[in-house]
Amino acid sequence: AADSREILPPTIKKTILVKNPSSNLPRNKTLTYQTALVLNNSTSASERFQAASKGLENNVLDKEILDVLFNTMQNDPNTNVRMAAFESLSQFANEKRVKNRFITALQNQKDPDVKVAIIDLLTNLRTNSIKAYLEKIANEEDTNPMVTERAHKGLMKLASS
């Protein structure tokens, strides 16, 4: 039988010490393995949604699970799953490394719903470094109207801080 570790990205492989992770891994590493396995391999959107929602429920900022959740937020084919990953990550948005990943994600995000959520989060955190990007998307003709409106609101909010 094929080893399930072969289908996981390299950042996740190092968290897996045995074939049955629940037998010897600490709880947070077991959750990392299980969450990563579901997010990377499940064809069921509802299973991925549940995994993304539980992503950081143990309140441990584990680099591997952060990587998986940011990847899910950026690339999952289902908007609800991307939003669940965003929600899991947003609870740690005050952490510098998470905030920086959100700034990068904002510029690469294609889903308007997720993009608006990131704009709201970063403007609520008074992240002035996104002003130039917000100005750019607020003035682009091909930007989704919902994103354009939120970029304008974000700029006003940042200007008042």
Side-chain angles (χ1 to χ4, degrees):
D3 189 333
S4 64
R5 291 178 286 183
E6 294 173 17
I7 56 178
L8 297 173
T11 59
I12 301 305
K13 286 182 186 177
K14 71 180 185 180
T15 68
I16 304 167
L17 303 176
V18 291
K19 282 188 181 182
N20 181 1
S22 60
S23 64
N24 293 327
L25 288 177
R27 177 169 155 63
N28 67 321
K29 291 299 183 184
T30 300
L31 288 173
T32 298
Y33 171 81
Q34 292 168 342
T35 301
L37 192 61
V38 171
L39 288 173
N40 286 317
N41 299 299
S42 179
T43 57
S44 165
S46 64
E47 285 178 5
R48 293 191 320 275
F49 177 85
Q50 281 188 311
S53 296
K54 290 181 180 180
L56 294 167
E57 73 177 5
N58 61 349
N59 292 323
V60 175
L61 273 177
D62 184 279
K63 183 190 178 327
E64 288 83 11
I65 197 66
L66 284 174
D67 290 345
V68 170
L69 285 170
F70 270 106
N71 184 57
T72 299
M73 184 184 76
Q74 292 298 96
N75 301 309
D76 195 274
N78 184 288
T79 296
N80 292 331
V81 174
R82 288 191 299 272
M83 289 300 295
F86 166 82
E87 290 296 328
S88 284
L89 291 162
S90 67
Q91 65 184 309
F92 293 101
N94 284 319
E95 297 284 335
K96 185 176 181 174
R97 64 183 165 156
V98 176
K99 187 176 183 179
N100 288 338
R101 298 272 308 262
F102 272 121
I103 292 168
T104 301
L106 174 61
Q107 297 174 29
N108 300 316
Q109 183 55 249
K110 304 291 186 234
D111 183 318
D113 293 322
V114 178
K115 196 170 201 105
V116 163
I118 296 171
I119 290 169
D120 288 347
L121 176 74
L122 293 174
T123 55
N124 286 336
L125 293 172
R126 306 288 193 225
T127 310
N128 287 313
S129 63
I130 65 167
K131 280 182 180 178
Y133 181 71
L134 291 181
E135 288 170 1
K136 176 184 172 210
I137 62 173
N139 294 314
E140 287 179 346
E141 289 186 25
D142 62 340
T143 301
N144 177 294
M146 179 174 66
V147 174
T148 300
E149 176 187 341
R150 203 54 60 97
H152 283 293
K153 286 182 179 178
L155 285 166
M156 287 189 300
K157 188 171 196 167
L158 292 173
S160 69
S161 57

